[in-house]
Amino acid sequence: MSEAKETYRIMISGGGTGGHIYPAIAIAHAWTARYPESEVLFVGAEGKMEMQKVPEAGYTIEGLPVAGLQRRLTLQNLSFPFKLWDSINKAKKLIKRFKPHAVVGVGGYASGPLLFVAQQQGIPTLIQEQNSFAGLTNKLLAKKAQAFCVAYAGMEKFFPADRIHFTGNPVRKDILELASKKEEAWSHFGLSKDRPVILVLGGSLGARTINDAVVASMEHMVAQGYQVLWQTGKFYFEEMTAKLATAKLSHVHAMAFIREMDLAYAAADLVISRAGALSVSELSLVGKPVIFIPSPNVAEDHQMKNALACVEQHAAVLLRDDEAVAGLAAQVDELMSDPEQMDRLGENIKKMGKPDAALEIVKQLETLIK
C-alpha cells in the first residue's frame, strides 16, 4: 500500500496484557504507515501496562478508571458500577473532543466503555479478537460492531458471520526473517553452536509451572546434550537463578525478560511456551516446533482452546499444566529424537501464520470509514 494524504482520527482501545497491547500498537503502526497525516489516540485502563507501553511506541494514550469485574465476591466488585459510570462519562468527553472517524477495540475491559459510547453515537467500530474463544467485553459489544477481525476459524459462535474477517493477529515484523540471524543469536545469548537450543517462554511476568518444570528437567536436558534459553519472567528471576546457581549448569541461560525475541526465535530448535493468542500468532510465523503448556488461570480457559486449535492441525504438541513438571523432560526427548516430526510440526504451524494481519485489519478499517 502506498501512502495516502487523507487525514483520519482513529481511536484504539483495550489492554491489560501484552496480548492486547502489542496487536493494538501493530494496527496503529500499519495505519500511520498508510496515512501518515492521521491522528491516533489510544484509550486504556489507568495503572495498567498499556499506560507505559503505548507512549514508548510513540502514541498518546488516555486512561479510564475502569477495572475488571472479579469472578468472585470482592470489595473491588462493589466499586465496579461507579468506575464503569465514570469511564463512560470520560469516554464521552474523549470522543466529543477527538471526533474519531472510527474506533478499534482489541479486547480487555478498557475497550468496553469507549466502544459502547462510540456505538451509541453511530461511530463505526471494529473489534479485533485475538483468541479462539471471544472475551467477555468483545461478546458484549458484538451486536453493534461493524466488523470483526479474527485469528481463528469458527468465530461465528460469537459474532455475526457476515461481519467476520479472518485476518490473523498482528505481530512484530522482525520475526519474519530468521534464517540469517542464527549466528548473531548464538553470539548475543552466549550459546554453543554445537548444542540444540530449547527456548522456554512463560510470558513477560513468567509462569510458575513452566519454571518449575524447567528446574525439574534442566539437569536431564543438559545431560542429553541440549542447551536452554529460559525467560523466567521478572517475578521469578531471582528464585530461578538461585536454583540454577545451586545446580551449576553452564548450558542453561536464564533471563528475566528477552527483548530480542527475533534472535531468541532464530536460535531455537524447539520452543516451550504458554498459549496466549499473541504467542501462538508469533510462533505460527516463526515456524519452529512447539510444546504448548496452556495456563489454566485465564478467562474461559482460552489458552487451552488456542493450543488445541494448533494440535488439531498437527501443528504443535500439548502438555497439560498439571502434567508439565513431571512430564516435560520426556516430551522434549520424544520430539528431539524424531527430526521428521519436528519438521512436520514446524511446517504445519507456519501454514497457520498470517504475516500481513495488520495490513488486512487496516483494509477493513478503510472500508468502514469510506
Side-chain angles (χ1 to χ4, degrees):
M1 276 192 177
S2 58
E3 286 187 5
K5 286 292 182 193
E6 290 92 334
T7 60
Y8 294 109
R9 291 178 301 282
I10 305 296
M11 296 178 90
I12 303 177
S13 186
T17 66
H20 293 310
I21 297 161
Y22 296 123
I25 290 170
I27 294 167
H29 285 341
W31 184 267
T32 53
R34 170 79 171 132
Y35 298 104
E37 309 287 321
S38 289
E39 290 181 70
V40 176
L41 177 65
F42 280 76
V43 178
E46 291 174 357
K48 293 296 182 181
M49 65 186 289
E50 59 265 28
M51 302 307 292
Q52 175 193 347
K53 298 294 181 187
V54 168
E56 284 176 1
Y59 298 97
T60 302
I61 186 166
E62 295 276 356
L64 301 180
V66 67
L69 192 59
Q70 302 299 304
R71 290 172 185 272
R72 59 192 187 284
L73 274 176
T74 66
L75 287 173
Q76 192 177 332
N77 280 348
L78 297 177
S79 66
F80 175 79
F82 304 101
K83 287 184 174 180
L84 181 61
W85 180 253
D86 287 346
S87 297
I88 288 172
N89 283 332
K90 186 167 182 182
K92 285 178 180 175
K93 290 174 185 171
L94 289 173
I95 284 176
K96 185 177 180 182
R97 187 188 82 208
F98 192 71
K99 298 182 174 60
H101 291 89
V103 177
V104 179
V106 296
Y109 46 80
S111 63
L114 189 77
L115 266 75
F116 172 77
V117 172
Q119 290 176 348
Q120 297 297 106
Q121 296 186 12
I123 297 163
T125 56
L126 179 150
I127 286 175
Q128 199 263 320
E129 173 58 64
Q130 297 95 31
N131 289 294
S132 59
F133 195 96
L136 178 62
T137 302
N138 284 350
K139 284 192 284 189
L140 292 172
L141 294 164
K143 193 173 181 183
K144 291 189 175 178
Q146 277 79 10
F148 303 88
C149 293
V150 304
Y152 292 93
M155 298 304 287
E156 60 277 356
K157 295 193 294 286
F158 311 105
F159 306 132
D162 60 335
R163 286 178 259 161
I164 291 175
H165 307 279
F166 185 55
T167 59
N169 283 327
V171 297
R172 60 190 113 199
K173 290 290 184 191
D174 61 357
I175 63 172
L176 296 178
E177 295 294 333
L178 298 179
S180 62
K181 297 182 179 179
K182 197 142 193 163
E183 293 272 349
E184 183 187 351
W186 286 329
S187 171
H188 180 81
F189 294 113
L191 298 168
S192 165
K193 297 179 183 181
D194 305 319
R195 285 175 170 254
V197 177
I198 315 291
L199 173 62
V200 181
L201 305 168
S204 57
L205 300 180
R208 163 60 69 185
T209 301
I210 290 181
N211 287 335
D212 287 347
V214 173
V215 169
S217 60
M218 60 189 179
E219 286 190 31
H220 173 82
M221 288 199 272
V222 170
Q224 289 291 92
Y226 316 139
Q227 58 192 328
V228 181
L229 180 57
W230 177 19
Q231 179 177 274
T232 64
K234 63 181 182 182
F235 286 164
Y236 302 105
F237 181 65
E238 286 187 17
E239 178 189 348
M240 296 303 147
T241 48
K243 290 181 177 180
L244 187 53
T246 302
K248 296 185 172 67
L249 295 171
S250 58
H251 291 290
V252 180
H253 306 261
M255 302 175 70
F257 182 71
I258 301 174
R259 288 200 186 284
E260 305 80 3
M261 281 307 304
D262 58 326
L263 297 183
Y265 288 137
D269 293 285
L270 172 66
V271 183
I272 297 162
S273 176
R274 284 301 199 200
L278 195 62
S279 297
V280 175
S281 295
E282 284 194 355
L283 288 163
S284 67
L285 296 181
V286 167
K288 300 280 178 89
V290 184
I291 299 171
F292 282 123
I293 305 176
S295 171
N297 308 312
V298 292
E300 315 285 4
D301 201 21
H302 68 248
Q303 286 205 9
M304 178 63 80
K305 295 179 174 80
N306 293 345
L308 286 171
C310 295
V311 172
E312 286 163 8
Q313 301 297 317
H314 306 288
V317 169
L318 172 66
L319 184 60
R320 293 176 57 91
D321 189 85
D322 57 3
E323 297 169 354
V325 174
L328 181 62
Q331 186 65 78
V332 168
D333 284 349
E334 182 184 327
L335 278 179
M336 294 297 282
S337 64
D338 188 348
E340 285 187 13
Q341 188 186 5
M342 295 265 282
D343 289 344
R344 191 163 56 247
L345 289 172
E347 288 166 9
N348 287 344
I349 200 168
K350 194 146 196 174
K351 289 175 189 170
M352 299 176 73
K354 293 277 187 180
D356 297 319
L359 190 57
E360 293 302 316
I361 292 166
V362 162
K363 289 178 183 175
Q364 296 304 327
L365 201 49
E366 284 178 330
T367 303
L368 294 191
I369 292 173
K370 295 176 178 179

